[in-house]
Amino acid sequence: MPTGLRKGLTSYGDAGFSLFLRRAFIKAMGYSEDALDRPIVGVTNTYSDFNPCHGNVPDLIEAAKRGVMLAGGLPMVFPTISIHESFSHPTSMFLRNLMALDTEEMIRAQPMDAVLLIGGCDKTLPAQLMGAASADIPAIVLPTGPMLVGHHKGEVLGACTDCRRMWAKYRAGEIDADEIDQLTDRLAPTKGTCMVMGTASTVACMVEALGMCLPGAASIPATHADRIRAAEASGAAAVKLAASGRTPRQIMTKAAFRNAFAVLQAIGGSTNAVIHFTAVAGRLGIDIDLAEFDRLGLDVPVLVDLKPSGDHYMEHFHWAGGMPKLLKEIAPHIDLATLTVAGGTLADYAAGAEDVPGQTVIRSAADPIAVGGGLAVLAGNLAPGGALLKRSAATARLMQHEGRAVVFDGIEDMTTRLDDPDLDVTADDVLVLRNAGPKGAPGMPEAGYIPIPKKLARAGVKDMVRISDARMSGTAFGTIVLHMSPESADGGPLGLVRNGDRIRLDAEGRRIDLLVSDAELAARRAAWVPPPAHPGSDRGYLRLYIEQVTQAEQGCDFAFCLPARGPQ
Ligand code: FES
């Protein structure tokens, strides 16, 4: 098996010439023969002026390169796509699979014995893991890390739970335009990823539970010196990983995914992670059984007290012991024998946990934040392919609820009519948003956090049952049913709901149902007309996306990226 510069030669019909040419060109960069003979560690560069969550990437790359060289390897930095949540049109989810393709093919195309994946903003680590899973060379992840908290008028602020809370206050007339402007200086005060238990933090924690990053790497603040040291250590670990030949397929086993999903329940993490890790597992031919995930939630208590479900932020989680401490607390529910990029097993991570006297961020199993599952998987006639409810961020009294449907036919319809003073809506109604799924929007936007209609918000209504085929930000909160599958644009039953229908949410029974007879539903289905094609969907990436994207329970990956049928 060729290594280093000899890997994956460009095809000229003469392997000797290919290597000669490669060496000749790379020497233009000033490398010596000694350097070029070392094991090569590819380091992804996802720095972008559009991506503040990756603002520390240049510093991390420098430290990672130092780590690679101290361990005797040659670091080679290469660019891939970078995706930031608020700089991605139409959505970052639309671009996740493009980044996965880019990452996979650049790993495969260029000669490297291991790859260090540096990412952080919501879709980047999932995309990088998907690519690395398919390329299957030794790979290690370095999250960019969470930003520090913000402060405003004596309050601690977190992006983006408080972005939404403050915007809701502005909509309700509780704060004015000057204050909302001032908040743009304070909500995201440093480089790094959102510092609540949103999607980025959830994904980073699950990556650590999978064994794909070094212990502690999920939670060290982005701007802290320890993050730089973690980058150096990750570079050194990548060289050892290259020597061991341990690949993602050996680390990301079915048991490792089960561990990651147990952590998702224990942290009350983002619903988006279910889609992302289903996609990563799918690349390895591993099915994620949503019913089993739901059962896992009944056993694994929510132990981490972070916003949006709790009170604290990622830096507090880190100083309370971070993932090693959490793994130790949930040890009875996970398999600590799974392998890691550090060379040992997950038991080593848990064994290294620091006991921090008096900390209240990571609770013990005897004193949980909540039991019964942070995330619930729903079935029912409105979601035959499944749906998710983030119980830990929902209102208890709405968990069992029946109400009248108020339907929005898409995001534009919702934006146009939601705040209309004449909208026929009460606090007991169920807001329905459709045509906002993977194909319908397209790109499955984080529009599931349907704002409370202004007239109700001004009357003090804080939460309502809201259902959609969209996603929501991991930083959002409310009694919100998401990822309803199949999506309405693909013929799902959400497309058959009419204004005034009765809808029942039964969180304990894990059901979301439209209380309309089967005969009536069959008649509506026969008359259903699919929404018109998206402008521009006749060519390019949008065409590929619409033709290939799968539904939420399959991870919204491209169908052609899944293996024919891998090992289970
Ligand atoms: Fe990048 Fe929140 S916007 S992690």
Side-chain angles (χ1 to χ4, degrees):
M1 175 89 162
T3 58
L5 220 56
R6 290 162 187 79
K7 286 186 80 174
L9 291 172
T10 310
S11 178
Y12 292 113
D14 177 345
F17 176 71
S18 296
L19 182 58
F20 162 73
L21 204 63
R22 176 172 283 179
R23 288 175 55 230
F25 273 112
I26 202 65
K27 283 191 170 178
M29 302 282 274
Y31 290 107
S32 65
E33 286 291 344
D34 181 22
L36 295 174
D37 267 349
R38 306 290 175 125
I40 296 176
V41 174
V43 181
T44 63
N45 183 1
T46 54
Y47 178 81
S48 159
D49 283 348
F50 288 111
N51 195 344
C53 301
H54 292 202
N56 59 346
V57 163
D59 292 341
L60 299 181
I61 286 176
E62 273 317 298
K65 287 168 73 175
R66 185 166 66 240
V68 171
M69 288 190 279
L70 284 171
L74 173 66
M76 299 285 274
V77 180
F78 65 99
T80 70
I81 297 170
S82 189
I83 304 173
H84 184 271
E85 285 303 293
S86 56
F87 285 94
S88 301
H89 177 78
T91 70
S92 58
M93 190 65 183
F94 177 66
L95 298 170
R96 185 200 66 181
N97 295 351
L98 184 63
M99 184 171 180
L101 285 172
D102 178 11
T103 304
E104 175 184 346
E105 294 309 326
M106 287 300 99
I107 292 172
R108 192 173 279 130
Q110 301 169 129
M112 57 190 85
D113 299 295
V115 62
L116 173 57
L117 305 154
I118 304 179
C121 196
D122 292 12
K123 308 303 176 295
T124 58
L125 286 181
Q128 291 176 317
L129 278 180
M130 290 161 73
S134 294
D136 205 35
I137 69 162
I140 177 170
V141 169
L142 174 66
T144 56
M147 61 176 92
L148 298 179
V149 296
H151 299 268
H152 177 68
K153 294 189 173 175
E155 251 194 291
V156 175
L157 294 182
C160 239
T161 299
D162 292 312
C163 313
R164 291 168 201 287
R165 188 171 62 82
M166 289 300 180
W167 189 252
K169 278 188 165 196
Y170 173 60
R171 281 175 55 80
E174 293 170 27
I175 62 177
D176 63 18
D178 286 345
E179 189 169 351
I180 202 78
D181 275 350
Q182 189 182 42
L183 281 160
T184 61
D185 290 337
R186 297 181 174 179
L187 280 160
T190 72
K191 295 168 182 174
T193 53
C194 292
M195 65 299 227
V196 297
M197 191 51 83
T199 303
S201 303
T202 302
V203 167
C205 290
M206 290 174 74
V207 166
E208 194 166 325
L210 269 181
M212 285 298 292
C213 67
L214 294 182
S219 56
I220 305 166
T223 49
H224 199 282
D226 278 347
R227 171 71 48 197
I228 302 289
R229 279 186 279 276
E232 185 182 299
S234 299
V239 178
K240 289 197 192 117
L241 203 57
S244 76
R246 189 177 277 188
T247 68
R249 182 174 291 278
Q250 292 165 268
I251 295 171
M252 295 195 286
T253 58
K254 189 156 186 144
F257 279 105
R258 191 182 175 283
N259 288 345
F261 276 90
V263 162
L264 175 57
Q265 293 283 16
I267 60 182
S270 163
T271 47
N272 288 321
V274 178
I275 293 182
H276 295 321
F277 282 80
T278 299
V280 177
R283 291 296 182 100
L284 298 166
I286 297 171
D287 290 328
I288 300 298
D289 179 350
L290 286 180
E292 187 190 342
F293 170 57
D294 190 277
R295 284 195 296 277
L296 199 56
L298 298 176
D299 291 338
V300 182
V302 180
L303 295 183
V304 175
D305 188 7
L306 251 64
K307 292 211 171 184
S309 306
D311 285 333
H312 300 283
Y313 298 87
M314 280 300 278
E315 63 193 84
H316 307 128
F317 175 62
H318 183 67
W319 300 122
M323 280 301 299
K325 172 73 174 166
L326 181 65
L327 292 171
K328 193 172 165 190
E329 290 297 338
I330 62 168
H333 302 290
I334 59 177
D335 179 354
L336 289 172
T338 54
L339 303 180
T340 73
V341 289
T345 66
L346 205 61
D348 303 331
Y349 288 19
E354 193 181 337
D355 268 324
V356 179
Q359 66 85 14
T360 56
V361 181
I362 305 170
R363 303 269 193 93
S364 70
D367 178 30
I369 307 283
V371 291
L375 295 176
V377 179
L378 308 182
N381 73 354
L382 259 180
L388 281 186
L389 169 69
K390 188 169 180 177
R391 290 176 77 248
S392 57
T395 302
R397 77 178 161 77
L398 291 174
M399 300 288 228
Q400 307 295 127
H401 182 80
E402 186 186 313
R404 193 181 60 136
V406 176
V407 182
F408 300 100
D409 249 332
I411 293 169
E412 202 181 323
D413 181 37
M414 179 181 81
T415 323
T416 311
R417 292 195 297 119
L418 189 74
D419 291 338
D420 184 339
D422 294 330
L423 181 70
D424 179 14
V425 64
T426 73
D428 291 332
D429 291 339
V430 175
L431 302 180
V432 177
L433 171 65
R434 61 185 170 212
N435 295 318
K439 297 181 185 187
M444 207 179 184
E446 291 184 338
Y449 179 74
I450 304 168
I452 303 295
K454 205 175 248 177
K455 68 179 180 185
L456 297 181
R458 293 202 159 162
V461 176
K462 301 280 185 227
D463 194 11
M464 295 172 69
V465 175
R466 291 161 268 180
I467 70 174
S468 73
D469 46 14
R471 296 177 301 117
M472 80 170 175
S473 164
T475 61
F477 50 89
T479 310
I480 297 174
V481 179
L482 303 151
H483 308 183
M484 298 188 70
S485 176
E487 64 174 305
S488 56
D490 216 28
L494 201 59
L496 308 180
V497 182
R498 291 185 182 163
N499 277 317
D501 285 347
R502 305 289 295 175
I503 290 175
R504 185 191 299 135
L505 168 64
D506 172 9
E508 292 320 308
R510 301 294 198 259
R511 290 191 67 86
I512 181 80
D513 285 296
L514 180 62
L515 305 181
V516 167
S517 72
D518 289 347
E520 170 63 16
L521 280 180
R524 291 185 193 180
R525 186 174 301 286
W528 180 76
V529 179
H534 297 291
S537 59
D538 55 338
R539 63 162 298 282
Y541 179 69
L542 178 55
R543 175 171 173 172
L544 175 75
Y545 176 90
I546 295 287
E547 287 176 359
Q548 289 292 329
V549 73
T550 57
Q551 292 294 295
E553 71 273 21
Q554 296 164 290
C556 299
D557 198 0
F558 288 154
F560 72 80
C561 286
L562 300 172
R565 206 50 260 186
Q568 289 291 297

